[in-house]
Amino acid sequence: MTLRHMEIFYALCQNDYNTTKAAHALNMTQPAVSLAVKELESYYNVSLFDRIGRKLVITQAGKRFEEYTKSIEGLFANMETEMKNWDK
């Protein structure tokens, strides 16, 4: 599991669990977004989404993971800003 996996998952959550919208927001393909989610689910051995037809419905585990990713994304953004502006 990588930070990129979390970024993809978080983008998916921010785009109404729509893989096409998340892929567009991240400038990647929809299959790549789906693969990243499957890799996360495999890594943690938990379903983050229920798949109902072509629609994703977030599970309780997915909601908890979303909370973690939101926190981590915020910390990462703060770190990026501070480190890039260190000498200013």
Side-chain angles (χ1 to χ4, degrees):
M1 201 274 303
T2 65
L3 183 58
R4 184 68 174 156
H5 283 88
M6 286 190 292
E7 289 172 339
I8 293 167
F9 178 85
Y10 192 61
L12 185 56
C13 293
Q14 295 299 302
N15 285 281
D16 302 317
Y17 315 115
N18 183 303
T19 54
T20 303
K21 289 179 183 178
H24 185 266
L26 295 168
N27 295 315
M28 54 190 304
T29 65
Q30 179 275 326
V33 171
S34 295
L35 178 62
V37 171
K38 287 180 184 179
E39 289 172 345
L40 280 170
E41 291 177 323
S42 176
Y43 182 82
Y44 289 113
N45 195 32
V46 66
S47 293
L48 299 172
F49 296 99
D50 288 325
R51 287 140 179 97
I52 301 172
R54 298 189 71 203
K55 186 176 179 179
L56 295 178
V57 178
I58 197 163
T59 63
Q60 281 301 117
K63 288 178 183 178
R64 186 66 176 132
F65 193 71
E66 182 180 7
E67 291 172 15
Y68 279 119
T69 58
K70 183 178 181 179
S71 177
I72 292 166
E73 286 286 317
L75 286 171
F76 187 77
N78 290 344
M79 179 195 69
E80 287 281 290
T81 300
E82 184 175 333
M83 297 309 297
K84 286 182 178 179
N85 296 307
W86 188 262
D87 292 333
K88 293 180 183 174

